Amino acid sequence: MKVVFVSAEVAPFAKVGGLADVAAALPRALHQLGVEVAVVMPKYRGVGDKTELLELGQLEVPVGGERKAGEVFQGTLPGTEVPVYFLAHDPYFDRPHIYGEAGGDYPDSLARFTFLSRGAVELCRQFSLEPDVIHANDWHTALIPVYQRLGLGVPGAKTILTVHNLAYQGVFPWEQAPLTGVPEEGLGLIKKAGKLNLLRGGILSCDLLTTVSPTYAREILEQGEGLEEELGSRREALVGVLNGVDYEVWNPETDPYLWANYSPQALEGKWENKLRLQEELGLEQAPGVPLVGMISRLAEQKGFDLVMGAIDRLLALGIQFVLLGTGDPRYEEFFRGASARYPGRVAALITFSEEWAHRIEAACDIFLMPSRFEPCGLNQMYSLRYGAVPVVRATGGLVDTVRECDPERGTGNGFLFRNYTPEALLGAVRRAVQLYREQPKVWRELMVRGMREDHSWGAAARQYVGLYRELTGQSGA
Ligand code: ADP
């Protein structure tokens, strides 16, 4: 089974959010199951520092009426033999950011990701990759199934489109439609409410549609960010497959970013990480104060309005708070302000840092994800493994991974709240803090239970292989 996996982000080459982690971990897991998988992504600035690049040759990619000159480089996913094909066109991709500045998009996003989508197809054709399945991800590559359906794709290949986040649909002014190269008869597929909508085209054209958790798959049929009708029409083709965790990367026993490694049997290292983090970030060195953390794109989706509405009352619970994130300047300013108002109690790292992401998971007692919606969410699963008990809103993939703790029965792995209000958030954090303070032994058991759970990619990868088989009628890997 040959699969070409196409994504705008792939860790560690280019990462903004969870898509990057999935686009690295899933191909790795598929490879281990014997699938012949290759990854395709843009050659952004700096990727050559992370893998050895072999120049494979030139590629011409139609974008609008022009044929853009591209180049293909080959590297590998670190620690694997999975080939990664980097599509280069420096005017599009040799830039300081992946999408744009301050959580925004470059004005020529449509041309950039048309190049990626059409380029992936051209790569398969011109370099004879002959995939059985092309696996596209999110709006950036949603044109691939459209090309495929209209006969501009790769002969014989089936397409899967995975929606990692329905809120991002690739919407552009209709006048820009010619850039996509979609012929007249197919334009209806990518038109919605008078605008160009790439995700719509992908949803309607793909052979199989997946999203990243069973709950989100159900939710979007009801609340589909305006695409309910399209999703409803593909109900039979829609499957929710829960993402996993790459425990090679997220494992407190071996994590090289931590000050001290630890495990469920030997937790001392966790307390050391907490103290070191407090020291490094100027928080009071207090081992007994519950440390609450968040690591996130600073986007409305992630529930920051709730945190803003509750911050003073949260701190009145006697906690410390650490945030790592970049994005919407409104939230950046708020958290900078909060750390100034609460010196020694609130730390705000307004940056993107893999290293600090790992350290915060290791140092925190509680991890907060109050998302308004959450297709899957990875951080709650990382935090489980790192012994940072998740407090989450009951939505999307958070429902599929976090279960309310019952101290009496000794069940559950975290705390959930349902209403999208600061009060509901506060209530859940209060429950957590109370247990932490009043029943330390029960808290420790809760932590360890979470650390021992298995959310690895194996099960998800097997499910994807099953779907590939269904699509192609092949029985092997
Ligand atoms: P989303 O994909 O919606 O951003 P996820 O929880 O699925 O949310 O994945 C987020 C990923 O991005 C996690 O791996 C998280 O650690 C990482 N991340 C988000 N913001 C930052 C940041 N500022 N620094 C480092 N990692 C970050």
Side-chain angles (χ1 to χ4, degrees):
M1 174 87 63
K2 284 191 187 171
V3 177
V4 166
F5 193 93
V6 193
S7 173
E9 298 178 34
V10 182
F13 306 115
K15 172 164 165 176
V16 174
L19 172 61
D21 290 358
V22 176
L26 177 55
R28 198 174 278 148
L30 289 169
H31 178 76
Q32 280 166 4
L33 293 177
V35 176
E36 222 179 298
V37 58
V39 178
V40 181
M41 66 174 288
K43 183 172 174 288
Y44 299 109
R45 184 177 291 177
V47 295
D49 307 339
K50 295 181 177 129
T51 178
E52 217 161 290
L53 289 182
L54 181 73
E55 205 173 328
L56 285 192
Q58 311 286 321
L59 185 77
E60 279 200 346
V61 182
V63 177
E66 292 176 54
R67 295 185 74 81
K68 299 277 183 192
E71 226 174 323
V72 184
F73 292 84
Q74 187 181 338
T76 47
L77 270 185
T80 72
E81 285 160 19
V82 176
V84 182
Y85 297 103
F86 295 95
L87 300 184
H89 181 69
D90 285 349
Y92 287 154
F93 300 121
D94 186 19
R95 298 185 186 178
H97 299 277
I98 296 172
Y99 299 125
E101 270 150 48
D105 289 311
Y106 289 122
D108 58 350
S109 287
L110 177 62
R112 298 174 80 224
F113 292 110
T114 295
F115 183 92
L116 171 62
S117 303
R118 196 67 189 265
V121 167
E122 292 300 320
L123 171 77
C124 292
R125 293 165 74 118
Q126 295 178 34
F127 288 77
S128 307
L129 299 191
E130 297 175 358
D132 301 299
V133 176
I134 306 181
H135 193 147
N137 294 276
D138 276 352
W139 74 262
H140 321 99
T141 52
L143 279 171
I144 294 175
V146 180
Y147 296 141
Q148 203 63 23
R149 170 169 170 165
L150 298 170
L152 299 171
V154 182
K158 300 283 185 184
T159 56
I160 287 200
L161 173 66
T162 297
V163 177
H164 298 259
N165 193 334
L166 197 64
Y168 301 93
Q169 299 180 0
V171 175
F172 299 93
W174 181 246
E175 298 70 58
Q176 293 184 18
L179 270 180
T180 62
V182 171
E184 192 70 31
E185 73 270 17
L187 284 176
L189 291 167
I190 52 173
K191 189 170 192 178
K192 174 90 185 175
K195 293 196 169 144
L196 190 59
N197 187 315
L198 302 191
L199 194 64
R200 177 178 196 269
I203 290 171
L204 293 177
S205 307
C206 63
D207 294 305
L208 198 75
L209 181 63
T210 74
T211 187
V212 287
S213 71
T215 297
Y216 191 62
R218 279 192 300 275
E219 285 173 349
I220 58 178
L221 290 169
E222 303 292 319
Q223 284 207 336
E225 308 277 348
L227 293 178
E228 293 80 3
E229 216 178 292
E230 289 80 357
L231 290 162
S233 77
R234 301 305 315 273
R235 188 184 287 264
E236 300 298 315
L238 174 63
V239 185
V241 182
L242 193 65
N243 284 336
V245 175
D246 189 339
Y247 289 126
E248 306 251 317
V249 180
W250 294 95
N251 179 358
E253 292 182 45
T254 53
D255 192 330
Y257 292 126
L258 306 191
W259 290 290
N261 292 113
Y262 61 96
S263 66
Q265 302 79 29
L267 283 167
E268 303 74 36
K270 180 156 179 79
W271 320 135
E272 193 177 329
N273 283 299
K274 181 172 175 180
L275 282 173
R276 282 297 296 274
L277 182 126
Q278 287 172 327
E279 185 184 342
E280 299 267 337
L281 299 185
L283 295 170
E284 286 158 21
Q285 291 231 267
V289 170
L291 178 60
V292 180
M294 284 185 83
I295 302 166
S296 177
R297 290 183 294 115
L298 298 183
E300 190 269 343
Q301 169 205 338
K302 299 293 181 179
F304 287 107
D305 294 325
L306 300 192
V307 180
M308 282 165 68
I311 191 86
D312 294 325
R313 287 175 284 172
L314 281 170
L315 284 152
L317 297 174
I319 62 157
Q320 291 182 349
F321 184 86
V322 55
L323 167 106
L324 170 65
T326 54
D328 191 330
R330 193 161 66 93
Y331 301 129
E332 292 190 353
E333 256 161 58
F334 173 82
F335 285 109
R336 279 202 191 94
S339 69
R341 277 193 298 125
Y342 290 101
R345 305 206 33 218
V346 174
L349 285 169
I350 308 296
T351 177
F352 190 96
S353 162
E354 202 63 40
E355 182 179 27
W356 279 102
H358 287 247
R359 289 173 166 179
I360 290 172
E361 293 283 8
C364 282
D365 302 296
I366 294 169
F367 195 86
L368 200 55
M369 281 182 82
S371 308
R372 187 166 64 76
F373 66 92
E374 193 59 77
C376 176
L378 293 169
N379 269 310
Q380 79 280 15
M381 292 191 271
Y382 302 157
S383 71
L384 282 168
R385 177 55 56 119
Y386 280 67
V389 174
V391 174
V392 306
R393 195 168 97 78
T395 180
L398 298 172
V399 175
D400 297 326
T401 48
V402 180
R403 301 175 316 281
E404 179 76 19
C405 147
D406 182 336
E408 257 88 76
R409 292 213 185 108
T411 55
N413 59 6
F415 298 85
L416 293 114
F417 65 97
R418 202 155 288 277
N419 293 345
Y420 191 71
T421 61
E423 289 68 34
L425 160 69
L426 197 64
V429 176
R430 190 179 289 121
R431 288 201 301 283
V433 168
Q434 219 163 17
L435 190 71
Y436 176 92
R437 287 223 176 88
E438 293 171 11
Q439 301 190 59
K441 194 165 158 280
V442 178
W443 181 268
R444 204 185 162 106
E445 285 162 10
L446 164 66
M447 250 179 72
V448 166
R449 222 170 23 249
M451 292 177 79
R452 293 213 159 107
E453 283 183 6
D454 182 6
H455 296 275
S456 55
W457 267 102
R462 277 191 292 279
Q463 237 180 306
Y464 278 110
V465 171
L467 296 174
Y468 296 154
R469 282 187 190 144
E470 236 174 76
L471 265 185
T472 58
Q474 293 184 21
S475 54

